[in-house]
């Protein structure tokens, strides 16, 4: 059995491991690994109670995994009635003013703690060659969130009451780490999300587009960008007020999201003001153009506004080498400007107007002839 100093060190290590994690999956893994080491187990898992689905879903398995156990399983879950302790036992314990303590079970039945014999868990221990386990409820924001599970193989010493008490402490540390991870992810989400529409924002597009163009250069992946300018927003704001203008932006954002779903993995974003975009990596250029056509059609049916001006640029079209995200953005923006200047209700696609495509010429003009060195703006210029 660990001494007090060793247990304190184990708690600190678990907390530090979760604090250093980047994202939920790393935090789950750090929690399970830290608990497994702290309790001298050979295997550990972290599961979440999905109340709306009535199931306990395994998030991560670490250590000596049995056949069929994946580290991050896609869908390893168990009906919650098979593990009634997470609902019945915890509720009864809390209702009586007690704490959600951990307990121990063996391949023969319960060993320490109060939840009683759970034959499904006992059967799982036997089936996977494990002799005992300690189960600790994880409580987050005052509610049962899930379970921390640590097991030892058959033939190893059985967990005792002291181990169960220590597992309770570890579960509380895990809960604190999960709360911190949730807060950090919410901060990250807000940093890359447009507050009005819920779409990605310009920062998210910049980061994703840089990655996409690098993948294009490295692997030849098709990268396509659709840039849209929502027509009539100023008129709506001036005539009906900014609340109506916000509703138009929100409704168009929903339409953009819907059309983006036609392209697997596409990112739908609001760049700012009345400008939006779709970024797709992988789908053929014609599929992206098809989604842009559908976007134009649906935008034209919105109750407010005057449709959308839409430009498309894809590395699969004859636009020349795309070595930077900036050039692809300039091409899509130039195509969008031409669509606006022509008043068309269909997307304009860079590179599809022949060898001397005016969109490509406009996008590739030197910065001294109207560019801003970053994202070329074409407002107020005459269409070529």
């Amino acid at each position: 059995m660990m001494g007090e100093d060793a247990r304190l060190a184990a708690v600190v290590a678990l907390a530090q491991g979760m604090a250093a994690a980047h994202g939920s999956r790393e935090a789950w893994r750090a929690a399970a690994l830290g608990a497994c080491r702290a309790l001298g187990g050979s295997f550990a898992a972290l599961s979440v109670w999905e109340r709306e689905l009535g199931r306990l879903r395994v998030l991560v398995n670490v250590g000596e995994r049995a056949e069929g156990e994946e580290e991050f399983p896609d869908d390893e879950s168990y009906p919650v009635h098979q593990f009634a302790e997470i609902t019945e036992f915890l509720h009864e314990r809390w209702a009586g003013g007690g704490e959600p303590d951990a307990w121990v079970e063996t391949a023969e039945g319960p060993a320490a703690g109060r939840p009683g014999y759970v034959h499904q868990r006992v059967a799982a221990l036997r089936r996977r060659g494990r002799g005992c386990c300690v189960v600790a409820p994880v409580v987050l924001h005052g509610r049962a969130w899930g379970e921390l599970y640590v097991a030892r193989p058959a033939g190893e010493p059985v967990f005792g009451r002291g181990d169960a008490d220590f597992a309770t402490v570890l579960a509380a540390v895990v809960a604190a780490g999960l709360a911190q991870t949730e807060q950090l992810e919410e901060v990250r989400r807000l940093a890359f999300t447009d507050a009005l529409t819920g779409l990605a924002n310009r920062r998210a597009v910049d980061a994703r587009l840089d990655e996409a163009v690098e993948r294009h250069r490295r692997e030849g992946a098709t990268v396509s960008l659709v840039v849209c300018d929502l027509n009539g927003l100023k008129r709506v704001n001036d005539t009906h007020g900014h609340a109506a203008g916000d509703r138009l932006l929100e409704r168009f954002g929903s339409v953009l999201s819907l059309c983006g779903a036609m392209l697997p993995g596409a990112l739908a974003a609001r760049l700012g003001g009345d400008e939006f975009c779709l970024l797709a990596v992988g789908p053929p250029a014609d599929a992206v153009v098809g989604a842009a056509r559908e976007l134009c059609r649906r935008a034209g049916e919105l109750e407010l506004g005057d449709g959308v001006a839409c430009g498309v640029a894809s590395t699969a079209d004859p636009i020349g080498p795309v070595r930077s995200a900036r050039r692809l953005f300039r091409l899509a923006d130039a195509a969008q400007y031409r669509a606006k200047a022509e008043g068309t209700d269909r997307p304009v696609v860079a590179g599809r107007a022949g060898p001397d495509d005016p969109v490509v010429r406009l996008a590739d003009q030197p910065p001294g002839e109207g560019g801003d060195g970053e994202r070329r703006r074409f407002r107020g210029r005459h269409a070529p």
Side-chain angles (χ1 to χ4, degrees):
M1 180 182 293
M2 276 189 180
E4 289 300 317
D5 290 345
R7 286 194 163 177
L8 178 59
V11 168
V12 171
L14 190 158
Q16 289 176 337
M18 293 191 72
H22 297 284
S24 293
R25 283 164 67 100
E26 284 190 23
W28 301 337
R29 188 174 186 275
L33 276 175
C36 191
R37 291 166 181 160
L39 287 162
S42 62
F43 170 85
L46 184 67
S47 304
V48 63
W49 178 16
E50 295 183 329
R51 285 174 167 80
E52 72 279 11
L53 298 176
R55 67 181 188 176
L56 197 66
R57 180 169 64 89
V58 178
L59 300 173
V60 64
N61 293 308
V62 300
E64 297 174 8
R65 303 195 300 272
E67 184 178 354
E69 287 179 330
E70 300 176 359
E71 183 174 27
F72 293 104
D74 289 331
D75 191 25
E76 181 185 348
S77 59
Y78 305 93
V80 75
H81 71 264
Q82 292 184 2
F83 304 97
E85 72 279 352
I86 196 171
T87 54
E88 297 171 8
F89 172 65
L90 294 182
H91 177 75
E92 291 172 5
R93 179 65 66 91
W94 285 334
E99 295 296 326
D101 295 333
W103 61 89
V104 176
E105 289 178 358
T106 74
E108 307 303 321
R114 285 195 49 211
Y117 183 86
V118 181
H119 67 86
Q120 290 89 354
R121 202 189 300 279
V122 169
L125 284 171
R126 294 172 180 167
R127 186 170 62 251
R128 292 165 180 162
R130 293 167 186 148
C132 64
C133 67
V134 58
V135 184
V138 177
V139 180
L140 191 60
H141 308 310
R143 304 177 69 194
W145 179 90
E147 292 185 351
L148 179 65
Y149 172 100
V150 179
R152 287 176 178 166
E156 291 291 314
V158 173
F159 290 115
R161 180 67 262 172
D163 295 309
D165 292 341
F166 186 39
T168 299
V169 174
L170 294 173
V173 175
V174 168
L178 291 170
Q180 181 182 42
T181 299
E182 282 186 359
Q183 291 173 349
L184 290 174
E185 291 200 333
E186 179 64 8
V187 169
R188 293 188 190 108
R189 186 190 69 80
L190 291 174
F192 290 93
T193 303
D194 176 64
L196 177 64
T197 64
L199 300 176
N201 63 13
R202 175 63 190 266
R203 184 183 290 109
V205 173
D206 287 344
R208 185 77 67 87
L209 187 56
D210 283 338
E211 294 172 359
V213 170
E214 180 58 32
R215 184 177 165 194
H216 166 70
R217 294 175 60 187
R218 188 175 62 249
E219 306 170 11
T222 297
V223 181
S224 303
L225 187 65
V226 181
V227 172
C228 313
D229 191 290
L230 186 58
N231 297 326
L233 179 62
K234 185 177 186 304
R235 177 186 58 78
V236 172
N237 284 333
D238 292 344
T239 306
H240 302 285
H242 286 272
D246 285 351
R247 286 197 300 274
L248 174 60
L249 290 168
E250 289 179 281
R251 291 191 63 191
F252 180 72
S254 297
V255 169
L256 183 69
S257 179
L258 186 151
C259 293
M262 299 168 61
L263 307 168
L267 179 72
R270 181 186 178 204
L271 299 173
D274 57 2
E275 293 188 304
F276 294 77
C277 79
L278 278 176
L279 171 59
V281 182
D286 285 345
V288 177
V289 173
R293 287 198 192 101
E294 180 66 9
L295 178 63
C296 290
R297 185 187 70 79
R298 289 178 176 270
E301 295 176 351
L302 292 176
E303 181 181 352
L304 297 172
D306 301 315
V308 66
C310 189
V312 183
S314 175
T315 59
D317 282 325
I319 57 175
V322 176
R323 298 189 177 91
S324 70
R326 183 172 20 178
R327 182 165 190 266
L328 193 65
F329 232 136
R330 287 203 308 263
L331 285 157
D333 201 35
Q336 182 266 124
Y337 165 72
R338 189 168 183 85
K340 197 173 191 73
E342 293 177 352
T344 179
D345 60 355
R346 296 172 66 82
V348 170
V349 186
R352 294 195 177 185
D356 193 30
D357 189 305
V359 169
V360 177
R361 280 195 293 107
L362 179 61
D364 288 342
Q365 284 180 349
E369 297 181 28
D372 63 5
E374 274 300 320
R375 182 175 175 229
R376 182 76 49 74
R377 304 308 306 142
F378 301 95
R379 304 296 173 260
R381 299 184 55 188
H382 296 294

